[in-house]
Amino acid sequence: MSKLVIDGKHKMEGEIYVQGSKNAVLPILAAAILSDGKNVIYNCPKLRDVDMTIEVLKNLGCRVKREKNSLEVDSYGIHSYTIPEELMRQMRSSIIFLGAIISKFGKAEISMPGGCEIGNRPIDLHLKSLRQLGVEITESHGFIHCHAENLQPAYIHLDFPSVGATENIMLAACMIDGRTTIQNAAREPEIADLQRFLNRMGAKISGAGGDTIVIDGVHKLYGVEHTIIPDRIVAATYLACAAVTGGTVVLKNADSSHMGAMMNVLKEVGCKVHADKSKIILLPAKKLTAVGTLKTMPYPGFPTDIQSPFMALMTQCDGTSIFVENIFENRFQHIEELVRMGADIKVDGRVAVVIGKSELTGAKVVARELRGGASLVVAALAAEGITEIENVKYIDRGYESIERVLSLCGIDIKRKE
């Protein structure tokens, strides 16, 4: 098992090229099975979740080639409509294949998905929406069996703007004759990137980025080339790393238009942030100051994915910060580890109160999920002494070679087996 060993109190200075978005590339790779040719995906990050998605594609019958940060997916001859249980259990986002497989074969068989244990992420919205499209679904012994002889267009109003459910509807409906409308759709930039990819393939989809998406079905999709958008959560994490060390960092291949809520928080704590379409520069705060209350919300609100890294940052801000987690009920697992390092944090249900500024010290801590692991990295940079972070496999799910990126910016960080 790998662990990260970090010697804190080093200022972070340098330039970082932001990797492609994990949350964008996974549904786009699922969409690649809808064409009968080759799709080439650029700016594809090297992550554990991407590796697992490639295994799913191969299991379905695709041929996949990777060359540096490019993936070629050839879906000609795809033959399977099932995903093995061991793959589904390792990655929650594998549920996104359900809509694509149903669209391709008219049937699908998968087990219930796994992934990080951050609380209930029910797939009932996915299944309810697919049923509205004419899919017959039965659940038994932990498996989902789907059958659809005649998929039909539908008007679907989501009870909650679920990213995964929105994507599954887009994938299932893009080749159904007629018009499907999604009301109260998720608005994340990754949804818009999926729309761009599908439309490049020949789909007719509009409205992604807003709360209403319209899908006019087509009969065939074609192989294309596509470049994945930058990862906004990774970008914000590295900005938090720089802020907590009092350093200056330049992010290249970073789209600030996707990061409004996060950048506003960084400005409120006292940092200077300059941005354009493809670059973000963070200058250190003279004094880090707490920002009051942060509530996680669907996009364009403050993202649940950055809650834990920013909580680590708030331990170094003068004053009291209150975090209200509205998306996942079990996304405070990192707090126990931050407290072990000296943070003053009190939890009451979905509310965490952070009293700053804490004198953090290095400790042996454990990453229990992806973003919580990233928060421990942020805290370790501010801590006095050595921090050892175990279960790096979780961090590797979303951050490409985090130790290499940070070490190039002056951080004393090493990966050890």
Side-chain angles (χ1 to χ4, degrees), residues 142-162:
F143 282 82
I144 302 169
H145 306 271
C146 302
H147 184 75
E149 288 188 2
N150 294 298
L151 289 170
Q152 301 292 329
Y155 177 92
I156 299 172
H157 184 281
L158 293 175
D159 299 328
F160 178 84
S162 162

Side-chain angles (χ1 to χ4, degrees), residues 239 248-251 263 272-276 279-283:
L239 292 176
T248 298
V249 69
V250 178
L251 301 185
M263 289 173 58
K272 293 182 175 63
V273 184
H274 305 285
D276 58 28
K279 184 170 65 176
I280 300 173
I281 302 172
L282 181 136
L283 303 175

Side-chain angles (χ1 to χ4, degrees), residues 93-113:
S93 53
S94 51
I95 190 67
I96 200 60
F97 275 91
L98 191 57
I101 294 173
I102 289 170
S103 179
K104 187 76 173 181
F105 292 102
K107 54 187 175 181
E109 184 176 305
I110 64 173
S111 70
M112 296 294 287

Side-chain angles (χ1 to χ4, degrees), residues 110 112 123-124 127-128 131 136-146:
I110 64 173
M112 296 294 287
I123 63 170
D124 57 316
L127 303 185
K128 178 181 177 181
R131 285 188 173 104
E136 297 178 6
I137 301 173
T138 57
E139 300 175 59
S140 63
H141 305 290
F143 282 82
I144 302 169
H145 306 271
C146 302

Side-chain angles (χ1 to χ4, degrees), residues 29 38-41 44 54 57-58 62-74:
L29 289 177
K38 296 180 180 179
N39 291 280
V40 181
I41 313 300
C44 181
I54 290 172
L57 289 169
K58 289 180 178 178
C62 296
R63 291 179 291 278
V64 184
K65 297 179 182 177
R66 179 188 276 280
E67 184 175 342
K68 296 183 179 179
N69 284 89
S70 298
L71 275 183
E72 180 184 279
V73 181
D74 186 350

Side-chain angles (χ1 to χ4, degrees), residues 81 130 261 286 306 353:
Y81 58 90
L130 291 171
K286 292 181 180 179
I306 204 62
V353 180

Side-chain angles (χ1 to χ4, degrees), residues 58 64 174 184-186 217 261 267 271 360 373:
K58 289 180 178 178
V64 184
C174 63
N184 197 31
K267 292 175 183 177
C271 297
L360 301 182

